[in-house]
């Protein structure tokens, strides 16, 4: 019965329809839209490459937000993935209370996307909020986290990093698959804990590091709630990420064609970086299972 | 756990377990303190919020909850919570049904184009959703679905939340087919097999799907922001945003109190299902 081709296809049909209707069609449509001018009222008008030309030459806000997005991803992704790996490593031992710690570290990444947490963040980084209260105890002058363009980026980077739990859980699963005998052998040979981590743990879980890097990168490039709610893109556009700019152009100013072009730039960026990662992965990602399977 | 694991664990535990606990405890404190402090602050007066680092309030004042709940709009948070559930619950139901069906097909059937479809599924997990927002919006506009919950629910009925399909497929791959083969010999058809064998086996993974979808939908902000226009239809996320937007010199205590309330459903669901779904998420087979 598992060979029953029609039945299998019948079960998968919702997905096929869903992909065509809600993914593929919008994907193609947004590409087409990016060559037009459309304000929701008059019918779309074909303008060729005009939107992209505008992006490339005449739009300082685009350049700014592109830079902000790249900076955000460059800071936030390594921090989140690095933290996730480090904590997973420390947690990967049989110990009492491990479930408490797992839950404690996971909770922020579950709640982190919520508006309530954004409110909280905006509040603890406000001028007389919790963070500055703590700093004043240490004798440090209060910092205008949200109003000073040198610090505003860090608040949303910290919010992103704080939610390392989901990546951590995936790392934990991978770490539990690493054969203990490898560590035993290394210990006999006198390898330090640090060496064990870099020489055994890291190489063996490179596929998972790779997976987490890609997924978190896709997330980082789309980050919207933090910059929208906490810093509102400011001050001086220092947290004005592309996702915000796309939202503004599309749904606030109703420049739908321009918004579509922007979103295609974002897509090209994520696609290009993913492709690069996949290409580079053959040099640093080690699939232990591959050889066994062949 | 094998015996070799035990010995190694012992070797390592002999090191300095308290150091590990201390480090983990400190990180946990830093991680959770903002949330703890939020709960404490919800009982404080505006003045105390801005001067006290400790999370324990000097007195318990529930008035912020009462005021926050009422909101400055004509609707109370009762309405907004109800709206949130009106979106979340149908969405969870259609997600589970469609994703289980599709995962069943991918994990247990051979059909034409299966490999390609599976790659498409994994590929869409990496597609930035924001690229699709605009045309989706136009599509729902053509269908006359704007300012209704349909755009937030209907796509999930078509297994578009591919992360869940992926998770369920990986979970099913780890389950031996013996039981299904036995049931087949006993004359079960594919649907009976699905209902009587597969679904019970998938239970932990299904719980994960329910929990994730519940929390993600409760947290969803951009979807409602784009599709909903009338305040009476707002879910909690949008209502909360309104409460900070309207007020620059805010009664922070009210906003904080209502933020705490807004987190309660998600926190409850998280702790109820914590064991199942951390395992469910980690067993999705993304392993080395």
């Amino acid at each position: 019965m598992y060979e029953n081709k029609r039945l299998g296809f019948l079960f998968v049909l919702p997905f096929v329809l869903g992909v065509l209707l809600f993914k593929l069609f919008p994907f193609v449509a947004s590409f087409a839209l990016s060559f037009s001018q459309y304000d929701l009222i008059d019918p779309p008008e074909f303008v060729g490459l005009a939107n992209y030309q505008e992006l490339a030459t005449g739009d300082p806000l685009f350049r700014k937000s592109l830079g902000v997005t790249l900076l955000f991803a460059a800071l936030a992704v390594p921090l989140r993935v690095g933290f996730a790996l480090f904590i997973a490593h420390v947690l990967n031992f049989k110990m009492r209370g491990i479930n408490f710690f797992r839950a404690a570290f996971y909770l922020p990444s579950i709640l982190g996307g919520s508006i309530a947490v954004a409110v909280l963040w905006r509040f603890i980084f406000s001028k007389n909020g919790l963070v500055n209260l703590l700093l004043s105890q240490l004798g440090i002058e209060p910092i205008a986290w949200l109003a000073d363009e040198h610090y505003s980026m860090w608040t949303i980077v910290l919010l992103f990093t704080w939610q390392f739990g989901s990546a951590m859980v995936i790392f934990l699963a991978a770490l539990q698959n690493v054969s203990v005998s490898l560590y035993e052998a290394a210990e006999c040979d006198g390898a330090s804990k640090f060496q064990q981590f870099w020489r055994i743990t890291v190489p063996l879980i490179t596929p998972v590091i790779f997976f987490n890097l890609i997924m978190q990168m896709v997330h980082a490039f789309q980050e919207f709630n933090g910059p929208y709610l906490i810093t509102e893109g400011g001050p001086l556009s220092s947290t004005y990420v592309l996702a915000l700019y796309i939202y503004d152009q599309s749904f606030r100013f109703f420049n739908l064609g321009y918004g579509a072009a922007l979103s295609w730039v974002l897509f090209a960026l994520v696609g290009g970086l993913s492709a690069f990662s996949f290409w580079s992965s053959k040099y640093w990602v080690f699939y232990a299972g591959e050889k066994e399977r062949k | 756990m094998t015996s070799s694991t035990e010995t190694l664990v012992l070797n390592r535990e002999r090191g300095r377990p308290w150091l590990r606990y201390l480090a983990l405890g400190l990180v946990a404190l830093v991680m959770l303190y903002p949330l703890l402090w939020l709960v404490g602050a919800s009982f404080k007066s505006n003045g105390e919020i801005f001067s006290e680092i400790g999370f324990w309030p000097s007195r318990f004042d529930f008035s912020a909850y009462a005021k926050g709940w009422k909101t400055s709009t004509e609707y109370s948070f009762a309405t907004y919570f109800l709206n949130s559930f009106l979106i979340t619950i149908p969405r969870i139901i259609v997600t589970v049904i469609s994703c289980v069906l599709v995962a069943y097909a991918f994990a247990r059937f051979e059909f034409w184009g299966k490999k390609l479809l599976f790659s498409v599924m994994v590929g869409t997990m990496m597609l930035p959703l924001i690229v699709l927002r605009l045309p989706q919006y136009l599509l729902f506009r053509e269908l006359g679905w704007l300012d209704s919950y349909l755009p937030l629910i209907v796509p999930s009925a078509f297994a578009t939340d591919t992360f869940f399909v992926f998770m369920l497929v990986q979970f099913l791959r780890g389950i031996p087919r013996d039981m299904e083969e036995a049931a087949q010999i006993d004359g079960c058809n594919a649907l009976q097999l699905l209902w009587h064998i597969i679904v019970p086996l998938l239970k932990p993974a299904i719980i994960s799907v329910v929990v994730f979808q519940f929390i993600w939908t409760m947290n969803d902000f951009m979807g409602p922001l784009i599709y909903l226009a009338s305040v009476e239809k707002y879910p909690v996320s949008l209502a909360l945003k309104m409460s900070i937007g309207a007020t620059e010199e805010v009664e922070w205590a009210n906003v904080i109190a209502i933020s705490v309330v807004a987190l309660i459903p998600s926190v409850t669901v998280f702790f109820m299902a914590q064991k199942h779904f951390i395992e469910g998420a980690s067993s999705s087979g993304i392993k080395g």
Side-chain angles (χ1 to χ4, degrees):
Chain A
M1 186 182 57
Y2 287 114
E3 309 303 313
N4 189 332
K5 290 177 185 177
R6 269 191 219 144
L7 205 56
F9 195 75
L10 197 69
F11 285 141
V12 92
L13 199 61
F15 172 71
V16 176
L17 291 176
V19 162
L20 290 176
L21 209 63
F22 299 115
K23 301 260 165 92
L24 197 65
F25 162 72
F27 190 64
V28 176
S30 90
F31 189 62
L33 205 59
S34 73
F35 298 103
S36 74
Q37 198 170 22
Y38 184 36
D39 57 7
L40 274 183
I41 300 156
D42 302 314
E45 183 196 336
F46 181 76
V47 294
L49 286 169
N51 287 327
Y52 291 100
Q53 251 159 16
E54 171 75 16
L55 281 177
T57 54
D59 185 353
L61 201 51
F62 165 69
R63 240 166 292 161
K64 175 84 187 176
S65 76
L66 185 65
V68 167
T69 309
L70 288 170
L71 178 66
F72 174 74
L75 292 171
V77 175
L79 272 174
R80 187 192 264 194
V81 175
F83 242 94
L85 177 57
F86 177 69
I87 300 289
H89 179 68
V90 179
L91 271 180
N92 186 31
F93 295 91
K94 207 178 162 194
M95 58 188 279
R96 215 165 284 167
I98 187 151
N99 283 335
F100 165 78
F101 287 117
R102 282 214 271 181
F105 297 144
Y106 202 19
L107 189 62
S109 70
I110 290 297
L111 303 177
S114 70
I115 308 312
V117 166
V119 170
L120 163 73
W121 218 254
R122 185 167 154 164
F123 184 66
I124 60 178
F125 282 97
S126 65
K127 211 174 118 242
N128 37 13
L130 180 66
V131 174
N132 278 341
L133 274 175
L134 281 169
L135 290 179
S136 71
Q137 301 282 306
L138 303 168
I140 299 171
E141 289 288 301
I143 293 167
W145 294 100
L146 303 177
D148 187 326
E149 55 171 312
H150 301 292
Y151 297 107
S152 50
M153 173 61 84
W154 286 105
T155 59
I156 57 169
V157 167
L158 271 175
L159 178 60
F160 193 85
T161 309
W162 186 58
Q163 304 163 45
F164 65 76
S166 54
M168 178 201 75
V169 168
I170 293 169
F171 275 134
L172 257 177
L175 290 175
Q176 275 157 10
N177 268 17
V178 176
S179 164
V180 178
S181 56
L182 290 172
Y183 294 111
E184 285 174 329
E187 209 139 287
C188 287
D189 293 343
S192 71
K193 289 278 185 293
F194 188 73
Q195 285 171 321
Q196 287 177 29
F197 179 72
W198 281 108
R199 299 277 167 81
I200 299 174
T201 311
V202 170
L204 278 177
I205 61 163
T206 43
V208 185
I209 298 178
F210 178 63
F211 175 85
N212 270 336
L213 276 176
I214 295 252
M215 292 314 280
Q216 297 309 335
M217 186 185 76
V218 176
H219 283 300
F221 274 97
Q222 300 185 81
E223 177 65 11
F224 176 80
N225 283 9
Y228 181 81
L229 291 156
I230 299 165
T231 52
E232 289 158 3
L236 296 173
S237 306
S238 57
T239 56
Y240 199 63
V241 290
L242 271 174
L244 253 176
Y245 195 29
I246 294 171
Y247 171 80
D248 278 350
Q249 285 293 347
S250 312
F251 297 105
R252 274 182 62 200
F253 311 141
F254 295 107
N255 285 327
L256 273 69
Y258 200 63
L262 277 170
S263 70
W264 263 79
V265 171
L266 181 76
F267 171 70
L269 210 60
V270 173
L273 281 169
S274 304
F276 174 77
S277 312
F278 273 101
W279 170 80
S280 80
S281 73
K282 62 181 177 208
Y283 297 107
W284 63 276
V285 175
F286 170 67
Y287 290 97
E290 293 278 89
K291 277 180 195 153
E292 285 163 29
R293 255 179 255 138
K294 274 167 197 167
Chain B
M1 209 165 258
T2 63
S3 60
S4 68
T5 317
E6 297 282 355
T7 34
L8 188 80
V9 166
L10 285 178
N11 281 342
R12 299 196 155 197
E13 288 275 0
R14 216 181 294 148
R16 267 163 298 183
W18 62 268
L19 201 68
R20 193 180 299 280
Y21 277 104
L22 186 73
L24 286 174
L26 276 176
V27 178
L29 186 71
V30 172
M31 295 282 293
L32 294 184
Y33 197 76
L35 294 169
L36 283 175
W37 187 77
L38 183 75
V39 176
S42 67
F43 298 106
K44 296 174 182 171
S45 64
N46 253 351
E48 199 185 352
I49 288 172
F50 287 110
S51 57
E52 281 300 319
I53 302 171
F55 74 90
W56 201 258
S58 60
R59 73 202 156 87
F60 281 88
D61 182 354
F62 287 88
S63 63
Y65 281 90
K67 276 190 221 147
W69 185 264
K70 261 197 286 181
T71 77
S72 52
T73 65
E74 53 185 308
Y75 309 97
S76 76
F77 262 91
T79 309
Y80 301 130
F81 270 101
L82 184 71
N83 290 342
S84 273
F85 294 135
L86 283 176
I87 300 167
T88 309
I89 292 166
R91 186 169 182 199
I92 289 174
I93 294 170
V94 297
T95 304
V96 168
I97 294 172
S98 65
C99 290
V100 166
L101 274 174
V102 172
Y104 181 42
F106 273 130
R108 292 297 197 253
F109 289 88
E110 287 305 324
F111 50 86
W112 184 83
K114 179 171 140 171
K115 276 210 171 117
L116 175 76
L117 275 177
F118 195 77
S119 322
V120 168
M121 187 186 71
V122 176
T124 54
M125 271 168 50
M126 278 187 264
L127 184 68
L129 287 178
I130 194 153
V131 177
L132 312 178
R133 283 283 186 198
L134 243 180
Q136 282 177 348
Y137 173 85
L138 296 175
L139 174 72
F140 296 131
R141 184 168 160 263
E142 283 308 304
L143 293 168
W145 288 0
L146 291 189
D147 204 24
S148 83
Y149 297 149
L150 291 172
L152 303 170
I153 297 168
V154 173
S156 291
F158 293 89
T160 48
D161 303 289
T162 40
F163 172 79
F164 296 136
V165 182
F166 184 69
M167 199 169 95
L168 291 167
V169 170
Q170 297 300 77
F171 197 91
L172 265 179
R173 280 183 175 164
I175 298 176
R177 299 183 181 190
D178 314 5
M179 290 231 295
E180 293 153 56
E181 276 156 16
Q184 239 175 302
I185 291 164
D186 291 346
C188 266
N189 67 35
L191 275 179
Q192 287 171 320
L193 210 61
L194 175 66
W195 183 247
H196 293 290
I197 312 281
I198 302 280
V199 169
L201 285 173
L202 269 180
K203 207 176 124 199
I206 292 175
I207 291 176
S208 309
V209 173
V210 171
V211 172
F212 275 121
Q213 189 66 303
F214 179 85
I215 294 172
W216 287 349
T217 309
M218 289 294 283
N219 286 354
D220 185 20
F221 178 69
M222 206 200 224
L225 179 69
I226 292 171
Y227 298 125
L228 298 179
S230 34
V231 175
E232 57 175 298
K233 290 176 186 160
Y234 276 14
V236 173
S237 56
L238 283 189
L240 252 180
K241 158 70 180 145
M242 259 196 326
S243 67
I244 50 166
T247 40
E248 263 324 311
E249 285 306 308
V250 203
E251 284 283 321
W252 271 108
N254 302 353
V255 177
I256 288 176
I258 216 64
S259 299
V260 171
V261 178
L263 288 174
I264 288 174
S266 297
V267 174
T268 313
V269 169
F270 174 80
F271 280 109
M272 267 166 40
Q274 191 252 111
K275 194 174 163 289
H276 288 292
F277 94 103
I278 291 187
E279 273 160 25
S282 58
S283 66
S284 50
I286 313 146
K287 292 172 186 173

